[in-house]
């Protein structure tokens, strides 16, 4: 079995305890992970706090910080193959996906490397002739970055990159499911030359590690990606310390297909939107809203594509749908499918776990027409399950699109430019993709509305979220201060 270690205060350590990680393709243990509990969490946060205030990091120029980030980006690119294989091995995400995603990870680090010396304050045109007033953007403090299993290298890069660009230090908590790639990334962070304590990488379980971290009194900001229930815990835990939070949560994203769309292209995008990554994607286009006149034609196309998908070993380049990360995921999906069927929904394809070792679930399509309360239309599967409902008019499509507690992403497929603009304005979601789906860039902000969270990752605004503003007043007059009892 491979052994992984935590990275605390610039050193690799075995941790408070250890646990086994299962290979999702076989269901068998393959590696031993360090489990951080209160002691490790406290050591890591204190190391980050020291690095923020006392170590060499505090006096590095932003340009020098950027250079370290460039070095990390290069190391990620040089080690892309090994990192992708590790992520595939530990989480079951197919190698085609992890290999492509790791290229983006390097790009995100590069983007924030370039931003490090472009975070500016402002000189304010105050209406007082004897005052110079300006703002400074200072690092917000120690950041707790907590990520779920599904894309740990990517979801941590969108936090580590902007936080380091802003001058913060971090404790990164990998998910207890599939933490290997993030623990390995720590070796590259070390090699890049970041001073001890600037980035600490641990893993552990929610109640004994994540909860201690997000409630730690020295943590100033919690950057979280995961489910809404955990997010509520985190907000409660961080309230004690009044730490700020950014929350990237789940979704039940609508995928709207109008009769005037290019149906072949929309079907391909829908396959990418729900079956890629076995549906374990926060932006999964898991609710297909299709115009009634083309419903049968579009579903026939989709079912044909879903049935032809190559299910197999995640390290095999020919595989298109690999295993889910955990057995728990299969159990959750089974329950949600059963409740939806009990409510009257019809399974059109798939609908039961694949009979082979490992945690495999096939592409599944469920027709929920006429049952708006079907659980499959409201709750997140986080698996390769598409729920379908049809509409007659654009107004009905928009009403259905917004009939969800979530608001992360959405897709609109139409040949009409004017319709697309109306829907862009009307949809309550942080991302609208028109005639495309699942496109990302470090330059574009990403995040949710409603129960999908708040705060944005990507773009300049994300780096500013890791700063706090200090306003400086400097009096330029040598005259004595006039009447001290009057506010100036
Ligand atoms: P989760 O919320 O169960 O766990 C996420 C992380 O939180 C893990 O590291 C876990 O250990 C930690 N955690 C659990 N309890 C905690 C607590 N009390 N305090 C602090 N930390 C705690 O999520 P999951 O099931 O691993 O991941 C799936 C969810 O993540 C889905 O809802 C999915 O939509 C969402 N997600 C969102 C995005 C996005 O960018 N919006 C991206 C990927 C996944």
């Amino acid at each position: 079995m491979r052994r992984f270690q935590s990275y605390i205060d610039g050193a690799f350590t075995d941790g408070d305890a250890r646990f086994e990680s299962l290979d999702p393709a076989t269901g068998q243990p393959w590696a031993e992970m360090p489990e951080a509990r209160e002691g490790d969490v406290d050591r890591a946060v204190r190391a980050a706090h020291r690095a923020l205030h006392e170590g060499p990091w505090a006096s590095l120029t932003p340009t020098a910080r950027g250079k370290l980030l460039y070095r990390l980006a290069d190391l990620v690119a040089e080690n892309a193959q090994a990192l992708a294989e590790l992520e595939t091995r530990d989480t079951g995400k197919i190698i085609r996906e992890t290999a492509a995603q790791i290229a983006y990870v390097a790009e995100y680090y590069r983007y924030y490397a370039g931003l490090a010396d472009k975070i500016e304050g402002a000189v304010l045109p105050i209406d007082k002739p004897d005052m110079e007033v300006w703002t400074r953007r200072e690092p917000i403090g120690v950041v707790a970055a907590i990520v779920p299993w599904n894309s740990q290298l990517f979801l941590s890069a969108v936090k580590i990159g902007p936080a380091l660009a802003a001058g913060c230090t971090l404790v990164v908590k990998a998910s207890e499911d599939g933490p290997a790639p993030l623990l390995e990334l720590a070796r590259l962070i070390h090699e890049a030359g970041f001073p001890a304590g600037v980035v600490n990488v641990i893993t552990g379980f929610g109640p004994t590690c994540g909860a201690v971290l997000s409630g730690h009194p020295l943590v100033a900001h919690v950057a979280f990606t995961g489910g809404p229930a955990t997010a509520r815990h985190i907000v409660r835990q961080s309230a004690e310390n009044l730490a700020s939070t950014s929350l990237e949560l789940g979704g039940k994203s609508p995928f709207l297909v109008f009769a005037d769309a290019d149906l072949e292209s929309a079907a391909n995008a829908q396959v990418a939107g729900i079956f890629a990554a076995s549906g374990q994607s926060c932006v999964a286009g898991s609710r297909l809203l299709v115009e009634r006149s083309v419903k049968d034609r579009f579903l026939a196309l989709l079912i044909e594509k879903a049935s032809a998908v190559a299910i197999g070993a995640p390290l095999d380049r020919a595989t298109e749908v690999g295993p889910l990360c955990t057995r728990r995921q299969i159990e959750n999906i089974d329950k949600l499918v059963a409740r939806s069927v009990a409510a009257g929904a019809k399974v059109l394809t798939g609908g039961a776990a694949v009979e082979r070792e490992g945690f495999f679930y096939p592409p599944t399509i469920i027709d929920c027409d006429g049952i708006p309360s079907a659980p499959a239309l409201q709750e997140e599967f986080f698996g390769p399950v598409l729920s379908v409902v049809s509409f007659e008019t654009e107004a009905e499509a928009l009403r259905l699109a917004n009939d969800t507690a979530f608001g992360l992403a959405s897709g609109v497929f139409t040949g009409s430019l004017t319709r697309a603009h109306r829907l862009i304005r009307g949809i309550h979601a942080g991302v609208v993709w028109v005639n495309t789906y699942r496109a990302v860039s470090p330059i574009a902000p990403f995040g949710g509305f409603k129960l999908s969270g708040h705060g944005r990752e990507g773009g300049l605004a994300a780096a500013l979220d890791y700063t706090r503003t200090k306003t400086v007043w400097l009096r330029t007059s040598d005259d004595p201060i006039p009447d001290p009892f009057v506010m100036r």
Side-chain angles (χ1 to χ4, degrees):
M1 291 236 286
R2 249 184 98 166
R3 274 175 79 85
F4 288 84
Q5 290 184 302
S6 308
Y7 182 56
I8 299 175
D9 204 9
F12 292 92
T13 137
D14 276 345
D16 289 323
R18 301 192 68 75
F19 66 97
E20 286 179 345
S21 195
L22 304 186
D23 179 342
T26 63
Q28 299 304 314
W30 81 281
E32 219 185 82
M33 302 297 170
E35 184 195 337
R37 295 185 187 161
E38 199 169 349
D40 276 343
V41 174
D42 187 57
R43 270 189 290 283
V45 175
R46 286 184 189 286
H49 195 256
R50 266 195 312 279
L52 182 72
H53 295 290
E54 296 164 25
W57 181 249
S59 50
L60 275 193
T61 64
T63 306
R65 287 204 302 265
K67 282 185 181 155
L68 286 172
L69 272 165
Y70 276 122
R71 177 84 189 111
L72 178 59
D74 289 345
L75 284 169
V76 168
E78 282 161 30
N79 291 274
Q81 179 69 14
L83 286 170
E85 279 174 16
L86 210 48
E87 182 152 28
T88 293
R89 186 77 202 272
D90 209 18
T91 67
K93 194 179 175 92
I94 61 171
I95 190 74
R96 275 158 74 159
E97 170 94 357
T98 54
Q101 207 175 48
I102 195 75
Y104 278 108
V105 170
E107 285 313 307
Y108 273 79
Y109 282 118
R110 223 160 255 142
Y111 174 80
Y112 284 107
L115 258 187
D117 56 9
K118 291 161 196 74
I119 298 172
E120 298 171 345
V123 176
L124 306 179
I126 296 286
D127 185 22
K128 296 180 197 295
D130 61 344
M131 292 284 188
E132 283 293 332
V133 183
W134 69 94
T135 57
R136 291 166 49 82
R137 289 275 189 175
E138 298 187 353
I140 198 167
V142 173
V143 172
I146 302 180
V147 295
W149 80 78
N150 55 314
S151 295
Q152 305 211 33
L153 290 169
F154 181 70
L155 295 173
S156 56
V158 298
K159 299 171 177 58
I160 298 172
L164 291 179
C168 297
T169 58
L170 300 101
V171 177
V172 183
K173 181 206 162 309
S175 170
E176 60 274 40
D177 299 314
L182 249 186
L183 296 171
E184 190 64 18
L185 179 81
R187 301 208 166 263
L188 305 184
I189 289 169
H190 188 73
E191 197 181 330
F194 287 93
V198 170
V199 185
N200 305 271
V201 184
I202 57 175
T203 185
F205 296 88
T208 46
C209 177
V212 183
L213 177 58
S214 49
H216 197 290
L218 294 180
V219 166
H221 180 83
V222 186
F224 172 70
T225 299
T230 312
R232 289 191 189 96
H233 281 295
I234 285 183
V235 170
R236 278 194 285 270
Q237 286 145 198
S238 58
E240 193 54 40
N241 190 28
L242 296 182
S244 54
T245 55
S246 46
L247 307 171
E248 301 291 349
L249 311 178
K252 194 74 200 176
S253 299
F255 189 103
L256 285 72
V257 178
F258 288 85
D260 60 10
D262 174 340
L263 293 189
E264 176 64 32
S265 169
N268 278 336
Q270 176 68 91
V271 167
I274 187 65
F275 301 136
S278 299
Q280 299 167 107
S281 164
C282 53
V283 296
S286 54
R287 268 189 315 139
L288 167 62
L289 314 180
V290 58
E291 191 162 344
R292 200 154 301 147
S293 61
V294 293
K295 179 184 171 193
D296 289 347
R297 195 145 53 96
F298 191 66
L299 281 183
L301 264 177
L302 270 185
I303 291 170
E304 187 191 323
K305 288 178 191 294
S307 317
V309 154
I311 299 176
L315 277 166
D316 183 343
R317 281 242 160 216
T319 295
E320 293 169 329
V321 167
L324 299 176
C325 185
T326 60
R327 191 182 309 283
R328 190 176 76 243
Q329 277 298 99
I330 303 255
E331 291 161 4
N332 290 344
I333 294 173
D334 274 343
K335 279 188 208 144
L336 192 44
V337 169
R339 281 169 52 223
S340 302
V341 169
K346 284 195 229 38
V347 174
L348 302 181
T349 185
V354 179
E355 288 197 14
R356 58 179 281 172
E357 66 170 4
F359 313 137
F360 289 84
Y361 203 91
T364 295
I365 301 178
I366 305 184
D367 191 343
C368 300
D369 241 350
I371 355 172
S373 61
L377 283 177
Q378 299 299 337
E379 297 172 36
E380 192 183 28
F381 280 100
F382 219 57
V385 184
L386 178 67
S387 313
V388 184
V389 71
S390 66
F391 62 82
E392 203 72 72
T393 64
E394 185 184 310
E396 190 187 358
L398 182 58
R399 189 184 53 72
L400 287 168
N402 288 335
D403 183 20
T404 168
F406 295 103
L408 187 56
S410 57
V412 176
F413 283 77
T414 176
S416 160
L417 188 62
T418 49
R419 186 208 302 285
H421 275 282
R422 287 191 295 273
L423 290 165
I424 290 166
R425 279 201 294 265
I427 289 176
H428 302 159
V431 181
V432 184
W433 283 301
V434 180
N435 293 334
T436 184
Y437 205 82
R438 220 166 167 249
V440 290
S441 159
I443 300 164
F446 174 83
F449 290 6
K450 304 196 279 183
L451 281 194
S452 294
H454 55 72
R456 290 294 175 267
E457 291 184 330
L460 171 62
L464 297 183
D465 281 352
Y466 289 97
T467 66
R468 52 186 182 184
T469 300
K470 179 178 281 175
T471 307
V472 186
W473 292 76
L474 188 147
R475 185 161 177 257
T476 54
S477 167
D478 293 327
D479 296 342
I481 297 226
D483 187 350
F485 299 102
V486 174
M487 196 164 95
R488 297 203 63 217

